[in-house]
Amino acid sequence: EVQLVESGGGLVQPGRSLKLSCAASGFTFSNYYMAWVRQAPTKGLEWVASITNSGGSTYYRDSVKGRFTISRDNAKSTLYLQMDSLRSEDTATYYCTRGGYWGQGVMVTVSS
Amino acid sequence: DVVMTQTPPSLSVAIGQSVSISCKSSQSLVYSDGKTYLHWLLQSPGRSPKRLIYQVSNLGSGVPDRFSGTGSQKDFTLKISRVEAEDLGVYYCAQTTHFPYTFGAGTKLELK
C-alpha cells in the first residue's frame, strides 16, 4: 500500500526557516517524480514544487523560487521541502504527492 | 500560467442524481508526447485530495465507474452518475502539462 507521511510543520516567525519531510513507502520511491502542493486555509490547491525521480531536475512556482528547495533522498525514500525566508502568505497545509497518491498534509503557520 | 476555469462553483444535488462539472483551460493541455495531462480530484471534508480521473478519462485506482471524464485540448468534463453521499466535497481539475502546474478553483458538491 502506498503511503506518504509528512512531518516537520509548525508555527514559525516571518523570515525564519522550516524543513518538511515526506516519508514514502509501498512503492519504489526512486522510480517516481514527486511534488509538494499546498492549500491555504479555506482556499484551493496550489502546486509548489516538483522533482524528477533522480533529483536531477527541480521545478518551482515563481512565488517560492529562491526561497524553497525541494530535494529527495532515494536511499531513505524521503522527500524534503526546505523553506527559507518564510512569509505569512506561505501559511498553508502542505501535501506531498506522487501522481494519484497524497499524504495527509502538514500545517505550516507563518506568524509573529 | 495556464488558467483553469471550473464551472459551476457549487452544485446542490439529490442522491441518485447525475451531475457534470466543466473545466476549461486557457491553453491546450496536449503535451509533446501526445498525451493530455488533465486530471480530476475530490477533496472530501477534512480529508486530503484524492485523484479520481487521470489523463482526461482514466479511472483512478478504486474509483467507482459512476465517475467518468471526457474532453480534449482545452475543454473537459467530469460526470458523476447516480450521486452517492460519499461523493460530497470539492472537486478540482488540475493540469500537469505545463509548468507551473495549476488547479481549477473547485466545485463544491452539496446535498439538496
Side-chain angles (χ1 to χ4, degrees), chain A residues 11-82:
Chain A
L11 173 63
V12 61
Q13 293 179 326
R16 303 299 291 263
S17 299
L18 207 58
K19 186 172 186 176
L20 305 182
S21 299
C22 170
S25 61
F27 65 101
T28 304
F29 183 71
S30 57
N31 285 353
Y32 291 89
Y33 283 34
M34 298 293 296
W36 290 96
V37 173
R38 67 185 179 184
Q39 185 171 36
T42 73
K43 300 297 185 184
L45 300 168
E46 182 176 82
W47 171 79
V48 176
S50 290
I51 187 167
T52 56
N53 56 317
S54 67
S57 292
T58 56
Y59 309 88
Y60 301 91
R61 67 179 304 101
D62 284 348
S63 61
V64 308
K65 214 171 283 185
R67 300 189 300 122
F68 289 13
T69 303
I70 187 172
S71 63
R72 63 192 298 160
D73 185 335
N74 284 345
K76 295 183 177 179
S77 295
T78 303
L79 178 72
Y80 302 101
L81 186 68
Q82 175 68 44

Side-chain angles (χ1 to χ4, degrees), chain B residues 42-89:
Chain B
L42 166 61
Q43 189 171 31
S44 302
R47 305 293 298 273
S48 303
K50 173 187 174 181
R51 189 179 68 180
L52 300 173
I53 302 275
Y54 64 97
Q55 292 176 37
V56 181
S57 59
N58 297 287
L59 221 53
S61 175
V63 176
D65 59 8
R66 300 181 289 101
F67 292 91
S68 61
T70 58
S72 63
Q73 299 287 334
K74 298 166 56 177
D75 196 349
F76 305 92
T77 301
L78 174 71
K79 182 176 180 180
I80 313 169
S81 304
R82 307 178 308 279
V83 167
E84 298 187 4
E86 65 186 30
D87 300 337
L88 305 182

Side-chain angles (χ1 to χ4, degrees), chain A residues 88-110:
Chain A
S88 58
E89 55 264 35
D90 297 319
T91 293
T93 296
Y94 285 73
Y95 295 100
C96 164
T97 175
R98 185 218 98 179
Y101 298 94
W102 294 64
Q104 84 286 354
V106 63
M107 185 67 201
V108 172
T109 303
V110 184

